[in-house]
Amino acid sequence: MKKNSLVFIILFLFVSVLFRASVHAKEKPNVIFIMADDVGYEALGCYGGESYPTVHLNALAKSGIQAMHCYSMPVCHPTRVAFLSGKYPRHVGSPKWGSFPVGLEKQTIAHVMKEAGYMTVVTGKWQLALLKDDPRQPHRMGFDEYCVFGWHEGPRYYEPMIYENGVVNRDANKEFGPNVYREYLESFISKSVKKEKPFFAFYSMSLCHDVTDDLSQPVPVSPSGKYLTYAEMVSEMDRQIGLLMRYLEKRGLRDNTMLVFTTDNGTPKQVVSYPEGDKLIRSPVFSKYNGKSIQGGKGNLDDTGTRVPLIVSWPSVITPGSRTDAMIDMTDFFATSVELSKVKSIYAIDGLSFMPALMGKEPKRTWAYSERKGRWWVRDQYFKLYDDGKFVEVSDSEFGMEFEIKSNRSAKQQAAFKKLQKAQHRMASH
């Protein structure tokens, strides 16, 4: 009797532990935010792009939800400031290129997730400091570990210069950078699984930005004798994401991992093709989108520079193959993480969680925001109001085209103008 009772107690305790672990996992899903570099809305096949074979990203979209109205800043640095802080750059002093507000270092998306019990990591592109001068910055900003290339210090692809937790990894110089960043992420995930802790990863991809940097000599070329073309970079980006998805599936982590893919700005107008002595020769980038050839618009405040893909896959929660027209901008990832982690954040942010939109419910945001060099706009799905009062309709058929509306507004246009005018006043009075 005593033996049976002991067996029963052991089994009960074992089942209880498993149950608590299961509940904990559901309450604390793993989170991977993938932010590709210089990839516009028109580049992905699942959004209508016809130039590049993005088979793994297309599959990711089929497994989850596509947001059709996600907007970034026109260039990379302010997008990352907004993503990490949950605030628009103009609301935090418009940080200079390659920096992050010191006063916000303890108030980042990574710190929120750490507070919620997550292990945190960033791999790929950092861009918020020269790490030779400030190797502790990613740690101060809430990342337990990091593996990033030396932005404006060395190459990112071939013979890369890579910092790992404050130290240059000399062995990585023999590897292909994108492999190193992904493999480091996978090893970090393995460690978190062993420690039975959820993980939060910011996979800030080097792809598909070209090789430009501030070195006196051009960086190493690919085995072909040239740099990767934009098409080759998109293909490699897709391959790396496919490998990560396969890793998660093999480890049995896909169901309880919220895998998010987005990008930091539109497709570049041109990329570096090959070195000619000390000069870098550039080639224009045109992509075919819904039957039309479109030049990349990185740096523009129109859709070619700011409309970006957003795919969210979470098999145990999100309905596969769905889409949402909810308005989303780069500050919203912070707010979404707060809701997802169930931690009470005391930080005042501009972002709104897009979790309701993922569940097919009414979204919280009704307008999005973007800025560059003192100019900015607020917009909804069809109309946009610039800071100087210019009111435009955004073309649905001609990607990147805007048509100014000066007078004789329809009822729909007037209603949109009033809504955006209120949003503009709110932004201007901040």
Side-chain angles (χ1 to χ4, degrees), residues 72-106:
S72 68
M73 305 298 163
V75 288
C76 46
H77 175 257
T79 287
R80 282 169 172 73
V81 170
F83 173 85
L84 289 164
S85 70
K87 300 183 180 185
Y88 299 126
R90 69 190 303 265
H91 289 169
V92 293
S94 298
K96 68 178 183 178
W97 200 257
S99 72
F100 190 84
V102 175
L104 294 180
E105 285 188 344
K106 300 295 184 183

Side-chain angles (χ1 to χ4, degrees), residues 32-333:
I32 303 176
F33 278 124
I34 305 172
M35 182 176 284
D37 201 342
D38 286 8
V39 181
Y41 182 93
E42 80 285 1
L44 272 59
C46 53
Y47 281 92
E50 300 169 10
S51 292
Y52 320 110
T54 55
V55 292
H56 298 296
L57 281 165
N58 296 348
L60 187 68
K62 286 182 180 179
S63 74
I65 188 170
Q66 280 179 255
M68 310 308 290
H69 287 278
C70 180
Y71 297 91
S72 68
M73 305 298 163
V75 288
C76 46
H77 175 257
T79 287
R80 282 169 172 73
V81 170
F83 173 85
L84 289 164
S85 70
K87 300 183 180 185
Y88 299 126
R90 69 190 303 265
H91 289 169
V92 293
S94 298
K96 68 178 183 178
W97 200 257
S99 72
F100 190 84
V102 175
L104 294 180
E105 285 188 344
K106 300 295 184 183
Q107 300 178 23
T108 66
I109 190 172
H111 274 296
V112 165
M113 300 307 276
K114 276 176 68 72
E115 185 181 340
Y118 283 76
M119 290 178 62
T120 59
V121 66
V122 57
T123 65
K125 182 175 183 175
W126 183 239
Q127 198 191 13
L128 302 173
L130 292 178
L131 292 176
K132 64 180 180 182
D133 299 328
D134 192 1
R136 298 291 302 172
Q137 188 197 39
H139 292 319
R140 290 199 310 273
M141 289 175 59
F143 291 102
D144 294 318
E145 295 189 24
Y146 73 83
C147 172
V148 299
F149 63 85
W151 174 73
H152 289 317
E153 295 181 53
R156 69 193 73 190
Y157 296 134
Y158 295 98
E159 300 178 29
M161 179 189 177
I162 295 177
Y163 284 89
E164 287 186 10
N165 303 315
V167 179
V168 175
N169 181 344
R170 304 295 178 186
D171 292 333
N173 182 258
K174 305 177 185 67
E175 308 293 334
F176 180 51
N179 284 339
V180 176
Y181 315 132
R182 174 186 50 78
E183 289 168 0
Y184 189 91
L185 171 57
E186 291 172 355
S187 67
F188 178 87
I189 290 171
S190 294
K191 282 189 286 186
S192 73
V193 170
K194 286 180 181 178
K195 292 182 179 180
E196 298 183 346
K197 294 191 69 175
F199 57 83
F200 170 81
F202 180 26
Y203 183 16
S204 179
M205 299 186 80
S206 57
L207 296 154
C208 298
H209 196 295
D210 62 14
V211 298
T212 52
D213 56 31
D214 287 347
L215 300 183
S216 58
Q217 297 293 321
V219 298
V221 295
S222 70
S224 70
K226 297 183 178 181
Y227 296 125
L228 295 172
T229 66
Y230 188 73
E232 287 171 333
M233 287 191 286
V234 173
S235 179
E236 180 61 26
M237 169 191 70
D238 189 69
R239 186 183 79 90
Q240 293 289 339
I241 290 171
L243 290 171
L244 176 61
M245 290 167 61
R246 190 184 311 166
Y247 167 82
L248 294 171
E249 287 163 0
K250 284 184 177 179
R251 296 300 304 267
L253 297 169
R254 277 288 279 125
D255 278 355
N256 197 43
T257 298
M258 181 170 152
L259 189 56
V260 183
F261 173 86
T262 191
T263 72
D264 62 355
N265 49 247
T267 302
K269 298 180 177 73
Q270 57 184 9
V271 296
V272 174
S273 298
Y274 58 92
E276 197 172 82
D278 291 342
K279 294 183 179 180
L280 297 173
I281 307 304
R282 300 174 183 274
S283 299
V285 177
F286 285 88
S287 305
K288 196 172 182 181
Y289 172 73
N290 287 338
K292 298 178 181 179
S293 181
I294 298 170
Q295 185 169 16
K298 175 182 176 179
N300 296 344
L301 274 166
D302 62 24
D303 277 6
T304 65
T306 61
R307 193 173 182 181
V308 295
L310 171 58
I311 300 168
V312 184
S313 177
W314 187 2
S316 63
V317 175
I318 295 175
T319 303
S322 51
R323 291 188 173 188
T324 177
D325 285 323
M327 299 300 296
I328 297 169
D329 71 29
M330 286 297 136
T331 62
D332 295 338
F333 294 91

Side-chain angles (χ1 to χ4, degrees), residues 336-356:
T336 303
S337 296
V338 170
E339 181 171 350
L340 192 69
S341 66
K342 296 180 170 32
V343 67
K344 290 184 178 180
S345 175
I346 61 172
Y347 310 133
I349 60 173
D350 294 311
L352 296 170
S353 173
F354 52 76
M355 281 297 293

